[in-house]
Amino acid sequence: MRAPIGSFDDVRPALDCLDELTAPVAAAVRDWSGDVPADRLVYVDSDPAVADTDAFVERYGPELLDVSANCVVIAGKRGGETTLAACLVPSRARVDVNGAVRKQLGARKASFAPVETAVGETGMEYGGITPIGLPAHWPLLVDPAVTDRPWVLIGSGRRRGKLIVPGKVFAGLPGAVVLAGLGG
């Protein structure tokens, strides 16, 4: 099997790689019910030492920077309450935490969630957090530039491996809101 984007040695349907994924991601793939068939979700093996975007594209090809997206966990606070949310933006973009995110969450203050919180609440590894398999009650804010891409490279829930999925998948995930101005 060939990857729809990039050049990888080990490319398989994500459904055939559930043991390579964290429990919440594997459950989301196994129980997939999105508009895109589950067999269009692709797993590519990669070196966990180069999971971060800059190192990854240096190793696997600079063209991947234009088709990659990063998922970050945000903590919005208001009146002693904390709301966790995930944001998915193109890898070249920065999340507008104090503008678009704070406003969408109705928070007085918003910031990147502490690593321990992000990892503990998602059940995923830091550096591999992905929008597929997030807690269903979380808001998932998605930059429209991600949903407009034919294929997008995202984390797999672990530092090892990535998922390649059609961009339109993200608008149909639980809690998803496509939000203009999210990535700046």
Side-chain angles (χ1 to χ4, degrees):
M1 175 176 198
R2 287 195 51 194
I5 55 175
S7 179
F8 299 91
D9 294 332
D10 186 358
V11 181
R12 296 174 272 162
L15 280 169
D16 294 347
C17 303
L18 299 179
D19 290 344
E20 305 292 333
L21 307 171
T22 58
V25 178
V29 170
R30 182 179 46 254
D31 301 334
W32 190 256
S33 63
D35 292 337
V36 173
D39 63 2
R40 304 243 0 240
L41 308 179
V42 177
Y43 174 84
V44 295
D45 191 35
S46 62
D47 181 351
V50 295
D52 296 325
T53 303
D54 290 341
F56 188 87
V57 298
E58 184 176 320
R59 169 85 173 269
Y60 293 100
E63 71 281 0
L64 293 173
L65 186 59
D66 292 325
V67 293
S68 298
N70 290 330
C71 185
V72 296
V73 178
I74 303 295
K77 297 179 182 181
R78 181 175 199 88
E81 297 288 320
T82 299
T83 300
L84 294 176
C87 297
L88 185 67
V89 298
S91 291
R92 290 186 186 267
R94 296 184 98 115
V95 177
D96 182 10
V97 175
N98 290 307
V101 176
R102 187 180 58 74
K103 183 177 176 183
Q104 181 67 31
L105 296 179
R108 188 163 185 267
K109 180 181 177 191
S111 59
F112 292 99
V115 172
E116 305 79 35
T117 300
V119 170
E121 295 292 327
T122 63
M124 301 178 201
E125 294 177 3
Y126 186 73
I129 293 175
T130 186
I132 296 174
L134 288 170
H137 65 279
W138 280 20
L140 169 60
L141 309 180
V142 183
D143 190 284
V146 176
T147 59
D148 291 345
R149 293 188 176 144
W151 294 97
V152 181
L153 180 82
I154 56 173
S156 68
R158 289 204 161 114
R159 289 185 64 82
R160 172 172 220 115
K162 301 283 186 185
L163 296 174
I164 300 174
V165 301
K168 63 184 176 181
V169 159
F170 303 112
L173 290 176
V177 174
V178 178
L179 184 62
L182 179 62

